[in-house]
Amino acid sequence: MWGWRAVSVAMLCIALSGAWPALAAEPVGQAVVIKTEVTGQSGPIEVDTRVHRNERIKTSQSGLGQFLFRDGTKLAVGWGSSVVIDKYVFDDSQSVKKLTIRAAKGTFRWVSGNSNSSAYQILTPAGTIGVRGTAFDFYVGPDGTTAVVLLNGAARFCGPGGCRQLQQRCDCVVAKPNGDMSAARRVDPSILATLGNQRALPFLSGNQRLAGGIGMLGGCNMASVAPERKDRTRPPPAVVPAPQRQDPPQRQAEPQKERPNKPDKPHHDKPHHDRPHHDKPHHDKPDRPDKHEGHGRHDDDGKPGNHGLDHRGHERHHDRDRDHDNDRNRETGRNFNRGR
């Protein structure tokens, strides 16, 4: 009988021990943006799906997940990534005493929430990122090489080779698990060659776009390295000359706009043309009387070419012949009377 009781107690302990991790898995945040494939401890993660402490989040090679924690912290997980919410200790409803995530590989963006800066810690294979009320991107390569790019606030990276302070926007540090670490300097596109992956830091290059305020933190002049951006910038130079070549036809069409002004010319010229045309007859009329009057005056003056004097002499000669005939008729009449 005691044997059955021992077996029953053992089975109950096993059941409780199996259920304990589920009871201990506290929700610490939820997914706000999910693209393509993102999975968690219990399967695919969708928008509004809760994430829990100790849960591992994975994304596919085209996946993207954005998460919001209870204290307002924001975490973006880019393609090909794996991260575990390692520790999450509540302080109250608005802050936490401890929030630690362990990034195994991939690319991420972090924006601190309402908790104290000392509460946040990001662990990578090459070292630890200490948060100072900040926002930054970081990348973990397959060999553990880690790059951190500061976007706002301040941060510190510490590894086997020492610590580096990131204090200015776009400051960057690259560290390896063996302790090799670069000095903090401004990030530029050459970092992708250093990391050996053109898909690293996709939120800065623009290969992956984030939603909401987390995506408005700038690209630190890394956008030009995005293949999509290069393809988009090539067409404009080919398109720009096209409108310039079309400009000459438009300029040649401008004189056509002056055609409506041509009716104004008849309206303006006809009155001036008619007036001289009307004046010419008026000018010719006085010319004819002038010639006639000149001819009359010429006759009266009796100047050389005396057409008027010749005419008067002819009349006088005619009068003399007429007087002579009259005398002859009178003479004949007298002789006739004498003969009777």
Side-chain angles (χ1 to χ4, degrees):
M1 186 171 180
W2 285 101
W4 284 106
R5 288 181 179 178
V7 172
S8 299
V9 171
M11 292 178 64
L12 179 61
C13 291
I14 293 172
L16 291 174
S17 63
W20 180 255
L23 294 174
E26 303 169 282
V28 296
Q30 64 182 14
V32 293
V33 174
I34 297 295
K35 295 182 180 179
T36 61
E37 186 178 354
V38 181
T39 59
Q41 197 71 29
S42 58
I45 296 177
E46 298 178 356
V47 175
D48 294 333
T49 297
R50 291 183 176 183
V51 293
H52 303 82
R53 181 168 59 87
N54 293 327
E55 184 173 7
R56 180 179 293 275
I57 299 171
K58 294 182 179 180
T59 60
S60 65
Q61 292 302 314
S62 61
L64 171 65
Q66 291 182 216
F67 301 90
L68 177 64
F69 294 94
R70 292 177 59 177
D71 72 329
T73 296
K74 298 175 182 178
L75 176 66
V77 183
W79 51 34
S81 300
S82 176
V83 61
V84 176
I85 304 172
D86 193 28
K87 295 179 181 179
Y88 196 99
V89 180
F90 289 102
D91 186 3
D92 54 41
S93 59
Q94 298 298 325
S95 63
V96 294
K97 289 183 178 180
K98 195 70 174 179
L99 173 56
T100 302
I101 66 172
R102 187 181 299 272
K105 65 175 182 176
T107 183
F108 309 87
R109 174 165 291 182
W110 171 279
V111 179
S112 298
N114 301 321
S115 303
N116 293 329
S117 298
S118 59
Y120 303 118
Q121 193 175 43
I122 296 95
L123 304 178
T124 74
T128 302
I129 304 173
V131 178
R132 298 293 182 268
T134 187
F136 53 86
D137 280 15
F138 63 101
Y139 166 79
V140 179
D143 62 350
T145 299
T146 301
V148 183
V149 180
L150 181 68
L151 299 178
N152 190 21
R156 183 178 65 175
F157 186 88
C158 293
C163 295
R164 297 287 187 273
Q165 301 289 335
L166 304 174
Q167 298 179 342
Q168 295 184 1
R169 173 177 166 78
C170 299
D171 275 355
C172 174
V173 63
V174 178
K176 294 182 177 295
N178 62 5
D180 293 341
M181 188 183 305
S182 69
R185 64 179 182 86
R186 184 175 179 83
V187 69
D188 59 56
S190 65
I191 190 175
L192 300 181
T194 300
L195 298 175
N197 184 1
Q198 294 296 317
R199 287 167 58 91
L201 302 172
F203 307 142
L204 293 179
S205 65
N207 287 336
Q208 280 193 307
R209 298 185 179 277
L210 301 175
I214 193 173
M216 304 297 292
L217 296 175
C220 295
N221 296 325
M222 291 285 292
S224 61
V225 303
E228 295 85 353
R229 293 292 179 89
K230 286 183 178 180
D231 294 340
R232 292 175 185 174
T233 54
R234 287 176 184 174
V239 174
V240 170
Q244 293 178 355
R245 293 177 182 175
Q246 293 176 359
D247 286 341
Q250 293 177 357
R251 292 177 181 175
Q252 292 177 359
E254 290 179 0
Q256 296 178 358
K257 297 179 181 178
E258 298 178 358
R259 291 183 179 178
N261 295 332
K262 289 184 178 180
D264 294 340
K265 293 182 179 180
H267 178 71
H268 181 269
D269 294 342
K270 282 185 177 180
H272 293 283
H273 178 73
D274 293 342
R275 289 176 184 174
H277 181 73
H278 179 69
D279 292 343
K280 284 182 179 179
H282 180 69
H283 178 70
D284 293 338
K285 287 180 181 179
D287 289 345
R288 293 177 182 177
D290 289 345
K291 292 180 181 180
H292 180 71
E293 290 174 359
H295 179 74
R297 288 195 301 267
H298 181 71
D299 294 340
D300 292 343
D301 294 340
K303 292 181 180 180
N306 297 331
H307 182 73
L309 293 176
D310 293 340
H311 182 71
R312 290 176 183 177
H314 180 73
E315 289 180 352
R316 290 175 183 176
H317 181 75
H318 181 71
D319 291 340
R320 289 175 183 176
D321 291 340
R322 187 172 55 189
D323 292 342
H324 181 71
D325 290 339
N326 290 335
D327 292 341
R328 296 174 69 179
N329 291 334
R330 289 173 186 163
E331 185 84 21
T332 304
R334 290 175 183 176
N335 294 329
F336 180 74
N337 290 329
R338 290 175 182 176
R340 291 180 64 179

